[in-house]
Amino acid sequence: KFTPAESAKVESALGMQQALRHEAVAVPRLAAIPADLRTQDGNLWLARAAARAGDWESVLSATQQLKFDNERDAAGWHYWQARALEQTGEKRAAKKLYAK
């Protein structure tokens, strides 16, 4: 029996492997993990796989959970978060993030 955190860690690892192989099941698997329990790597791979699939809601969910130590590492992901905001109709918020 796993705790919710342990289950999330296992599901993140399995979902990342599926995303790496470009399997369509990776996005729903990773997206099903509660956002507060998804690992950083799980969020990164969810964002990548979801962007590839055009699932902008999942891109937005994943990028909003990412944590970085410095702005340089975060810059590329700000673009994808802005792109997801734009694609989901949040044009004003996207414009602010693009400007950043």
Side-chain angles (χ1 to χ4, degrees):
K1 296 196 175 195
F2 291 116
T3 66
E6 291 168 334
S7 291
K9 194 171 184 178
V10 170
E11 286 298 311
S12 287
L14 294 171
M16 287 184 297
Q17 288 301 312
Q18 290 171 323
L20 188 62
R21 293 189 302 266
H22 296 210
E23 294 178 20
V25 295
V27 173
R29 178 177 224 147
L30 290 167
I33 301 166
D36 61 323
L37 295 178
R38 203 179 305 124
T39 65
Q40 175 82 349
D41 285 338
N43 282 315
L44 290 167
W45 280 100
L46 173 56
R48 290 177 182 122
R52 189 178 316 112
D55 181 345
W56 298 108
E57 291 289 341
S58 292
V59 173
L60 190 56
S61 171
T63 57
Q64 288 174 333
Q65 296 299 317
L66 293 173
K67 310 266 187 293
F68 294 101
D69 293 331
N70 61 64
E71 188 62 29
R72 183 179 57 88
D73 292 342
W77 291 105
H78 284 161
Y79 166 81
W80 286 106
Q81 186 176 15
R83 178 86 186 271
L85 286 165
E86 183 177 32
Q87 294 296 316
T88 58
E90 299 290 331
K91 299 205 185 297
R92 183 171 288 156
K95 190 173 181 177
K96 284 175 126 177
L97 201 49
Y98 280 135
K100 187 177 181 179

